[in-house]
Amino acid sequence: MSSETPPKGPARSMLYDPTEHRIRSFVTRAGRLSTAQERALAELGPQYAIEYTKAPLDYAQAFGRTAPVILEIGFGMGQTTAHIAKLMPEKDFIGVEVHTPGVGSLLKLIGEEGLSNLRVIQHDAVEVLNNMIPDGSLAGLHIYFPDPWHKARHNKRRLIQAPFVKLLVQKMAPGGYLHLATDWEDYAVQMLEVLSAEEGLQNTAEGYAPQPAYRPLTKFENRGLKLGHGVWDLVFTKK
Ligand SMILES: C[S@@+](CC[C@H](N)C(=O)[O-])C[C@H]1O[C@@H](n2cnc3c(N)ncnc32)[C@H](O)[C@@H]1O
């Protein structure tokens, strides 16, 4: 999934949020909802989707237990999210995504795999972070293949920029980690620069990190690797 094509017509306005005076990192796409995704939204949404509100989220209430919480931003169709949540039943996961078919797809996976440690929020992650995630509360943050906005004039829409990273650090628990991955070299360079310059963070590697074993290779990534494209992982911890 990619937002490489500049939006035309009404979608263009979706990039700017007039209420927040902020440029958005995503374009709202209609996208086709499959019958199975629609069913998952209707049947599993009430149990596993958390509604966006401007109030701090009570994790213990949301999950019915106390465990380290990992937040994933922009999970796409959610295959990686479901894979990792299944691998780590001792941790709780919150996936944030704006795209409805993706939310339906992940709810379907939650149902199929019986993932009681995963919840979904369909909303702009910047607002979710600002309004729902308590400071110092996240054991980990995953952001995999964020939209590269590869044209120079669109670079300002990239999620990974200094003020956003500062917000992430504010939400992380001491010792918590931030794991990013991208297949866009120029964005990888920007990520490394921004994260290295953030004084609240410490790199776990010399530059880019080896791919952690828990992050599965996606179909799209595999295809890219076969075509000779690179993939860069970055893992930083909060000081
Ligand atoms: C290129 S896709 C990658 C999806 C997935 N992580 C993967 O690796 O396949 C980026 C996703 O981030 C989502 N996204 C972008 N900005 C977002 C935001 N501010 N809040 C929530 N989701 C966002 C988009 O809707 C899109 O699904």
Side-chain angles (χ1 to χ4, degrees):
M1 193 181 316
S2 164
S3 302
E4 291 300 305
T5 317
K8 292 192 180 86
R12 189 183 293 274
S13 64
M14 301 310 292
L15 288 169
Y16 180 71
D17 179 350
T19 56
E20 303 268 329
H21 302 290
R22 188 167 58 73
I23 289 168
R24 286 181 167 145
S25 59
F26 59 90
V27 185
T28 314
R29 290 157 289 140
R32 211 184 72 80
L33 205 55
S34 73
T35 313
Q37 289 162 358
E38 204 169 327
R39 193 179 317 124
L41 283 162
E43 291 175 3
L44 300 170
Q47 194 177 347
Y48 296 103
I50 297 172
E51 208 164 310
Y52 170 76
T53 52
K54 285 193 173 184
L57 182 59
D58 181 340
Y59 298 143
Q61 194 181 41
F63 290 97
R65 66 170 185 175
T66 301
V69 175
I70 316 264
L71 185 83
E72 181 178 352
I73 294 174
F75 58 72
M77 301 308 274
Q79 298 96 332
T80 297
T81 322
H83 173 94
I84 298 177
K86 190 176 179 187
L87 206 64
M88 303 181 189
E90 72 288 358
K91 294 185 177 140
D92 287 335
F93 293 84
I94 301 171
V96 184
E97 173 58 64
V98 286
H99 190 48
T100 308
V103 173
S105 162
L106 181 52
L107 286 169
K108 181 169 168 282
L109 291 170
I110 290 174
E112 285 167 0
E113 302 284 349
L115 300 171
S116 60
N117 62 334
L118 179 50
R119 299 288 181 276
V120 177
I121 303 177
Q122 182 173 12
H123 199 78
D124 179 355
V126 178
E127 291 184 12
V128 170
L129 282 163
N130 271 319
N131 297 317
M132 293 184 81
I133 303 299
D135 287 354
S137 69
L138 295 173
L141 266 156
H142 296 168
I143 310 180
Y144 301 142
F145 306 94
D147 298 297
W149 292 109
H150 70 270
K151 291 188 176 148
R153 70 175 189 280
H154 290 143
N155 282 182
K156 57 181 177 291
R157 312 207 176 280
R158 287 180 173 173
L159 213 42
I160 307 304
Q161 305 195 47
F164 179 70
V165 170
K166 207 159 249 334
L167 176 63
L168 297 180
V169 173
Q170 186 185 323
K171 301 297 168 181
M172 288 160 75
Y177 71 93
L178 170 60
H179 180 189
L180 310 180
T182 183
D183 61 345
W184 196 258
E185 186 166 13
D186 158 58
Y187 201 5
V189 170
Q190 176 174 337
M191 288 175 174
L192 189 56
E193 266 173 25
V194 171
L195 266 54
S196 303
E198 168 51 56
E199 56 190 19
L201 290 175
Q202 180 168 301
N203 200 345
T204 62
E206 294 279 332
Y208 301 106
Q211 181 187 337
Y214 60 80
R215 187 178 72 72
L217 216 57
T218 60
K219 232 198 274 176
F220 131 90
E221 197 177 344
N222 234 333
R223 194 172 54 219
L225 286 171
K226 279 192 191 137
L227 289 169
H229 301 170
V231 171
W232 294 268
D233 283 81
L234 298 94
V235 183
F236 280 63
T237 50
K238 181 166 170 170
K239 284 180 187 161

